[in-house]
Amino acid sequence: DAGVIQSPRHEVTEMGQEVTLRCKPISGHDYLFWYRQTMMRGLELLIYFNNNVPIDDSGMPEDRFSAKMPNASFSTLKIQPSEPRDSAVYFCASSARGVGTGELFFGEGSRLTVL
Amino acid sequence: GESVGLHLPTLSVQEGDNSIINCAYSNSASDYFIWYKQESGKGPQFIIDIRSNMDKRQGQRVTVLLNKTVKHLSLQIAATQPGDSAVYFCAENFSGGYNKLIFGAGTRLAVHP
């Protein structure tokens, strides 16, 4: 398996623009997580899905952020409109059994810079 | 891409020495702990885990120690190699709650030849 695949790897955009980050989890994994990593706050969980259903989105910063998982092999994280404080590395991770019973497999991240 | 966290605490060791990375976790109810390694420009990678009913677990060249009394976790790396240079994160989970891993701030390990 190729692992968790994220795109784009790097994105530079201007404030106010819409940003869409994409993730393909490992086949057969029922859990998908979106994390954000910044120097100030470290790794933060934004939202996670189980069997394509959002279970906990309490980490989503505000209404500008939304995430979807239309099928078992694809998820998106959208920011609209983007702001400079959204600049971070966004990671997608998948797991076969959830965090309490198995490990998370992370993608290589999408580095977002909002000017 | 470079790793975030340029101002993380750094542990510098000589190649071949043993490394000990420490972590204080926050929730006394946490019962599952994981160590991750993050190399520059990559996502975190699972190293080893331990449940709260254990106080020690060994892997290949790595050992995790758990002290629940003081909420402390440590990762020991034997015979540290240049390839071990990375940022190391501990993460905690409370299995009675949601699937939330709470990550620590991280420690940068620098291995010198």
Side-chain angles (χ1 to χ4, degrees):
Chain A
D1 200 312
V4 176
I5 299 173
Q6 292 187 245
S7 65
R9 289 296 313 277
H10 302 273
E11 172 115 1
V12 180
T13 190
E14 293 189 344
M15 183 174 63
Q17 296 298 306
E18 178 179 294
V19 172
T20 299
L21 308 177
R22 298 172 175 80
C23 174
K24 181 182 186 326
I26 293 172
S27 177
H29 281 191
D30 293 333
Y31 291 84
L32 183 139
F33 303 80
W34 282 102
Y35 281 86
R36 178 172 68 176
Q37 187 174 41
T38 61
M39 208 180 315
M40 294 300 295
R41 300 174 68 89
L43 270 162
E44 303 173 278
L45 177 66
L46 300 177
I47 185 171
Y48 83 90
F49 296 82
N50 179 211
N51 292 321
N52 313 339
V53 176
I55 302 301
D56 183 0
D57 64 354
S58 59
M60 295 286 262
E62 47 199 90
D63 292 345
R64 297 185 298 106
F65 285 68
S66 63
K68 294 182 179 179
M69 192 164 186
N71 57 63
S73 60
F74 184 67
S75 177
T76 60
L77 178 67
K78 188 173 293 187
I79 308 172
Q80 166 64 18
S82 58
E83 297 182 2
R85 60 191 167 125
D86 301 330
S87 297
V89 182
Y90 291 81
F91 287 102
C92 176
S94 70
S95 173
R97 296 172 292 166
V99 303
T101 56
E103 61 202 78
L104 261 59
F105 292 85
F106 284 81
E108 297 204 320
S110 294
R111 178 175 291 275
L112 172 65
T113 302
V114 183
L115 303 174
Chain B
E2 294 296 318
S3 294
V4 297
L6 297 177
H7 303 293
L8 293 171
T10 298
L11 174 65
S12 293
V13 300
Q14 292 293 121
E15 182 178 356
D17 286 352
N18 296 333
S19 303
I20 300 176
I21 301 171
N22 296 303
C23 173
Y25 63 91
S26 58
N27 186 357
S28 56
S30 292
D31 54 10
Y32 181 58
F33 306 88
I34 308 178
W35 279 100
Y36 285 90
K37 172 186 180 182
Q38 186 176 22
E39 297 176 4
S40 181
K42 296 188 176 181
Q45 180 183 14
F46 174 93
I47 302 174
I48 191 168
D49 60 359
I50 189 169
R51 299 201 179 276
S52 58
N53 61 351
M54 303 172 70
D55 53 22
K56 180 179 180 179
R57 189 164 189 224
Q58 288 185 293
Q60 200 171 27
R61 278 201 312 120
V62 294
T63 301
V64 56
L65 299 177
L66 174 63
N67 185 332
K68 295 182 288 294
T69 302
V70 294
K71 294 192 290 186
H72 184 267
L73 203 62
S74 68
L75 177 71
Q76 301 177 0
I77 304 174
T80 313
Q81 302 168 1
D84 295 326
S85 294
V87 176
Y88 289 81
F89 295 94
C90 66
E92 60 184 295
N93 173 249
F94 170 51
S95 60
Y98 289 113
N99 273 283
K100 282 188 173 179
L101 270 184
I102 307 299
F103 282 83
T107 298
R108 185 180 302 279
L109 177 65
V111 183
H112 303 285

